[in-house]
Amino acid sequence: MTTAKQPLDDKCPRCGEPFHCGAAEPRCDCFDINLSAALRQSLAVQYSSCLCIACLKALQTANSGHAK
Ligand SMILES: [Zn+2]
């Protein structure tokens, strides 16, 4: 029996949606998300695990609104 390529083995601590994080793999969708160092730091403090892509994109959009 083969397992799925990307099992939804993680759960987003922000929205509770199941997702797969590839941060420990060569390739993760979050590599496309450009978060500021300050935002990454605050996320690390707030959450002990990765967030789903939807939340990362939402944070990226919200954060880039006034920082440019
Ligand atoms: Zn999420």
Side-chain angles (χ1 to χ4, degrees), residues 24-56:
E25 300 161 12
R27 172 74 211 170
C28 179
D29 285 345
C30 71
F31 293 176
D32 291 332
I33 310 286
N34 265 310
L35 297 177
S36 68
L39 184 54
R40 283 176 190 272
Q41 181 65 39
S42 77
L43 289 178
V45 170
Q46 285 181 73
Y47 307 108
S48 59
S49 62
C50 295
L51 302 188
C52 72
I53 298 302
C55 281
L56 290 176

Side-chain angles (χ1 to χ4, degrees), residues 4-35:
K5 197 176 183 187
Q6 291 203 338
L8 300 178
D9 49 6
D10 291 315
K11 196 168 162 186
C12 176
R14 185 171 180 265
C15 68
E17 287 293 313
F19 74 108
H20 174 80
C21 177
E25 300 161 12
R27 172 74 211 170
C28 179
D29 285 345
C30 71
F31 293 176
D32 291 332
I33 310 286
N34 265 310
L35 297 177

